[in-house]
Amino acid sequence: GAGTPWDMSPRMLAARAGHRTRVMCYLLNLEDVPCELALVRPGSGDATRSELADDDTFASIMLRVRTERGWQWVTGSDRNAPVAYVPPALAGAEALLLTAGAPREQLPALDMAAHGRSLTVRLALATDGSGRAVVEERLRGYAATGARAVVQRLDAANRERQFEAYV
């Protein structure tokens, strides 16, 4: 309703406010990194095929960025997400590129190996009943981006308290 998706990006950047994904694409294009906005139909949405897209059907947004490995899908919604990270709710979804001709693309299918949690526990028990435990937790994909976002919002005192309660 306020012009094209691109004309507000410089003002959003200057104000340090606005739509993160649009600003990311604007910055990438400033650096001559080809970037395209794409509206995406989440897997939980209406799957009815239609020639006319609407914002109720294509409710999410992703970037398609040209990298040294070719075109990669990039999310602006999940902070600290790696390049080529596709949120599970959008995996395999249909995307409508906001470029000439409005071509449609398919996002990559869900890679279950890219998401998850693993724990390694090492226990050393002494004959007197005392012991020591070392626990290593590794988070991948969705679990990692979600946990990182929570940790970054906490101040140091609350972070330590939350970590102790979690352990």
Side-chain angles (χ1 to χ4, degrees):
T4 72
W6 301 274
D7 65 356
M8 294 294 292
S9 296
R11 285 182 260 171
M12 286 188 270
L13 178 61
R16 299 184 67 81
H19 198 278
R20 180 179 166 82
T21 305
R22 285 170 50 182
V23 172
M24 283 177 63
C25 193
Y26 170 73
L27 289 172
L28 286 166
N29 282 318
L30 280 180
E31 291 299 316
D32 293 324
V33 176
C35 176
E36 301 168 343
L37 289 169
L39 300 178
V40 182
R41 179 194 303 246
S44 61
D46 181 2
T48 305
R49 286 287 294 167
S50 170
E51 291 304 313
L52 183 61
D54 62 61
D55 57 354
D56 288 335
T57 305
F58 289 83
S60 296
I61 189 165
M62 291 280 291
L63 300 175
R64 197 172 79 140
V65 179
R66 171 66 88 176
T67 72
E68 63 279 354
R69 294 186 316 243
W71 287 102
Q72 300 287 317
W73 290 99
V74 176
T75 178
S77 302
D78 295 299
R79 294 179 185 267
N80 303 307
V83 172
Y85 170 80
V86 175
L90 301 181
E94 179 184 17
L96 176 69
L97 292 167
L98 300 182
T99 61
R104 294 182 188 219
E105 294 279 333
Q106 201 78 20
L107 271 67
L110 182 61
D111 176 8
M112 289 303 289
H115 303 277
R117 171 180 178 232
S118 62
L119 288 172
T120 302
V121 180
R122 287 184 288 281
L123 296 172
L125 300 175
T127 55
D128 66 358
S130 64
R132 176 174 172 80
V134 176
V135 179
E136 181 181 299
E137 179 179 35
R138 291 185 181 256
L139 302 171
R140 297 177 313 284
Y142 184 72
T145 59
R148 187 177 292 121
V150 168
V151 169
Q152 287 177 335
R153 284 193 301 263
L154 296 171
D155 59 43
N158 283 321
R159 187 170 32 246
E160 187 171 322
R161 188 170 30 253
Q162 286 287 89
F163 182 74
E164 287 175 0
Y166 174 73
V167 172

